[in-house]
Amino acid sequence: MPKISYAQAGTDALIEEMQRDPTTFHLATSAQDELVKEFGADRVRATPIAEGAFTGIAIGAAGSGYRPIINWGMITFSFVAMDQIVNQAAKIHYMFGGQAKFPITFRASVGGGRRVAAQHSQSPYSMFMNLAGLKMILPSTPYDMKGLLKSAIRDDNPVISFESNRLMGVEGDVPEGDYTVPLGVADIKREGSDVTLVALAWLVHEGLAAADTLEKEGVSVEVIDPRSLVPMDEAAIHASVQKTGRLVIADEAGPTAGASAEIITVVTEDRETFAKLKTPPKRVCALHVPIPYSPGLEDHVFPDRDNIVAGIREVLDAG
Amino acid sequence: MTLTREKQIEMLRSMQTIRRFEERASDDYQAGAIYGVVHCYIGEEAVAVGVCAALNRDDQIISTHRGHGHCLAKGADLNRMMAELYGRQTGYCKGKGGSMHIADFSIGMLGANGIVAGGIPIVTGAGLAAQLEGKGRVAVSFFGDGASNAGPFHESINIAATWKLPMLYVCENNLYSAGTIAADTLALSDVAARAAGYGIPGVVVDGNDVMAVYEAAEAAVSRARAGQGPSLIECKTYRWRGHTERPGQEDPRPKEEIEEWRQRDPINRFATNLTDQGLLTEEAWQQMDDEILAAIEDAVKFSEASPFPDPEAAVEDIFAD
């Protein structure tokens, strides 16, 4: 099986879906030559740097029978388009009684680690999870990137693809040709029996490294990657926590009202799962601050494998 | 430019239908049968009807919070509109939208929108779809003077002009942005003058003259269908009523000004014009009005007889299947 990068897997998904469906087209503030050559300047357009306008344009085109794919670049820039995302895209299908479909894929990079400071190092997916009407994926491997992005493009709803900038160059096995990974199906990356680690995006890899470390101490960690945040595979999380009785969540976003908080609620609100919990759940998240620039500062803010190991030990020590 | 007698009579009927619909909607709102908020278009009917008279069924429009007129001018069904205002299952949005969110995609009506300028990018996307499809369809953005000061107006027109999208941007300048005197917020007295900044035609039209609006729209539609890009049409008009129908709202507008604009009633003006040309008799006009009132009475009866949605339906239609 060929090894390709996370970023290339995204591009491959995009190209294959645009070949497959003539109603797709691509808008971003730049047009890649490779895409323009294959699909023409009509279907691959460079927009002005006006995210509000081209996000709205995607909504209108989607409601008129097209299947737009939008790349905001960094998630940071989506905030410029918040009216179109919050007031329009998330609500338009519902508000009009379901009379039209709005199949739109919004792609954006998330995460820190690039020394680009507060405005360009964000992981705000929980802000979007708070809205009803948007689906969202958060792939952690090249395989999932290609398969999930294809599912996102084929979905008849607005889907945001949060793509970890720390993973862009990471390579992995990706089959050639068509396959999809369904939305709402978690992946158990590693089976274990002592503690469930639900990890997101880059922290899936850090979590697997932490699990290796802990295995040497005789601790068996089950690592779960939800892969999509909406819909969330609650059943997989319930089943794992019922088995291990312990829960740690690792997320590059801050903790406050975050995906991590939602995952804890998914566990604690479920009577059967809550009954099996042996210790309180633990979050290993970024600190609740804007992301700073200087390397020492930035690295202090984000969790890594060591923080995950420490978090898991804390939970095990609690009982 | 001449339109057939039948077409002109239909335009008059459409204008009067909007007015009678809103008079009834306002009454029923005051009586508590319609909830939330109702924004009336009364006084501005010539704009929606004049523009939509230049469109085909498969052309698309987007509307504003003051959207009843655009819906009806594009051919929306009275029963389903009234039922939506009544919050009923048989309404256009199954009771999920109300007055500010009526849409009928089957007739190219992409929805009223509660965010000022929020619909402008969306309908520009419909224009992009029309261009990609290549069948000569056009898309029309209705918006107010207030929206012309907001970013989406400028961003969207710039894109439409750059890509030569088949678009009409129709500004209904009713001189007030909600409760604020529009002139106090506009750098230029004419919104249409902003077209120059994007290299597209911009015209000012008497928005209370339905034929003038039609002619301007027709020219812009021809241009758009021919692939020559978007146009901006500014229709100077006036709303007779307050910003919303909610009682007790502050209204900065002088009574004399309102009265003066009522004298320029677009419906009376058009009816008189048709009568003077011998295209309409007093009798026929009265009969038309009676028919409209009867149709609206039927729409109310239909709404009253329709069930409210099952409360459980609140969790349906979040996502398309």
Side-chain angles (χ1 to χ4, degrees), chain B residues 5-164:
Chain B
R5 174 182 172 277
E6 286 70 27
K7 174 99 178 176
Q8 293 185 67
I9 295 293
E10 271 321 296
M11 287 164 71
L12 180 67
R13 180 186 293 275
S14 182
M15 291 168 76
Q16 184 72 352
T17 301
I18 295 167
R19 179 159 304 179
R20 293 301 195 193
F21 178 88
E22 290 200 324
E23 287 170 351
R24 184 60 188 261
S26 178
D27 287 349
D28 293 1
Y29 173 72
Q30 305 301 341
I34 293 171
Y35 315 100
V37 65
V38 169
H39 301 84
C40 282
Y41 191 67
I42 291 175
E44 306 181 21
E45 298 92 342
V47 181
V49 172
V51 171
C52 289
L55 302 179
N56 297 330
R57 187 181 168 89
D58 62 355
D59 293 324
Q60 291 167 295
I61 66 168
I62 212 159
S63 177
T64 68
H65 54 284
R66 202 174 301 289
H68 308 140
H70 309 121
C71 288
L72 289 168
K74 194 68 174 67
D77 177 64
L78 273 177
N79 288 0
R80 294 184 68 196
M81 273 190 69
M82 192 63 89
E84 186 59 34
L85 268 59
Y86 267 68
R88 306 301 167 120
Q89 174 65 26
T90 53
Y92 263 118
C93 312
K94 299 189 276 191
K96 288 193 168 121
S99 164
M100 257 189 300
H101 304 302
I102 298 180
D104 183 353
F105 280 66
S106 72
I107 58 166
M109 166 56 196
L110 305 185
N113 204 304
I115 306 297
V116 167
I120 303 177
I122 298 174
V123 73
T124 302
L128 173 57
Q131 184 185 66
L132 288 169
E133 199 180 73
K135 292 181 182 161
R137 290 191 302 111
V138 304
V140 180
S141 184
F142 289 103
F143 55 91
D145 40 270
S148 77
N149 289 330
F153 166 86
H154 296 277
E155 294 179 15
S156 300
I157 293 187
N158 177 56
I159 291 176
T162 305
W163 294 351
K164 290 207 179 319

Side-chain angles (χ1 to χ4, degrees), chain B residues 232-274:
Chain B
L232 174 60
I233 300 171
E234 178 183 9
C235 301
K236 305 273 195 193
T237 184
Y238 201 81
R239 69 175 141 76
W240 289 9
R241 308 179 77 100
H243 172 55
T244 80
E245 293 303 291
R246 191 163 289 159
Q249 284 191 114
E250 247 181 72
D251 191 338
R253 305 175 308 163
K255 284 199 168 54
E256 308 74 49
E257 183 184 275
I258 298 173
E259 192 43 46
E260 188 189 318
W261 277 92
R262 288 176 78 107
Q263 298 306 314
R264 300 186 219 169
D265 177 2
I267 295 178
N268 187 40
R269 187 166 159 187
F270 189 39
T272 304
N273 186 311
L274 293 177

Side-chain angles (χ1 to χ4, degrees), chain B residues 291-302:
Chain B
E291 286 165 6
I292 290 166
L293 286 167
I296 286 161
E297 189 58 40
D298 286 350
V300 169
K301 287 201 180 104
F302 170 81

Side-chain angles (χ1 to χ4, degrees), chain B residues 160-273:
Chain B
T162 305
W163 294 351
K164 290 207 179 319
L165 298 183
M167 294 290 310
L168 271 65
Y169 293 93
V170 179
C171 178
E172 300 171 327
N173 186 346
N174 63 19
L175 312 185
Y176 290 84
S177 306
T180 297
I181 299 166
D184 292 348
T185 68
L186 292 159
L188 302 174
S189 57
D190 291 337
V191 171
R194 295 179 174 183
Y198 303 103
I200 64 170
V203 295
V204 177
V205 179
D206 177 350
N208 283 25
D209 179 347
V210 70
M211 291 309 290
V213 173
Y214 167 76
E215 285 171 18
E218 218 287 318
V221 166
S222 300
R223 191 172 182 278
R225 291 203 206 286
Q228 294 174 298
S231 302
L232 174 60
I233 300 171
E234 178 183 9
C235 301
K236 305 273 195 193
T237 184
Y238 201 81
R239 69 175 141 76
W240 289 9
R241 308 179 77 100
H243 172 55
T244 80
E245 293 303 291
R246 191 163 289 159
Q249 284 191 114
E250 247 181 72
D251 191 338
R253 305 175 308 163
K255 284 199 168 54
E256 308 74 49
E257 183 184 275
I258 298 173
E259 192 43 46
E260 188 189 318
W261 277 92
R262 288 176 78 107
Q263 298 306 314
R264 300 186 219 169
D265 177 2
I267 295 178
N268 187 40
R269 187 166 159 187
F270 189 39
T272 304
N273 186 311

Side-chain angles (χ1 to χ4, degrees), chain A residues 46-58:
Chain A
T47 67
I49 305 170
E51 288 78 8
F54 69 79
T55 299
I57 283 172

Side-chain angles (χ1 to χ4, degrees), chain A residues 63-80:
Chain A
S64 306
Y66 284 81
R67 193 170 285 273
I69 302 159
I70 303 302
N71 198 326
W72 285 319
M74 295 180 198
I75 195 66
T76 294
F77 307 132
S78 75
F79 298 149
V80 178

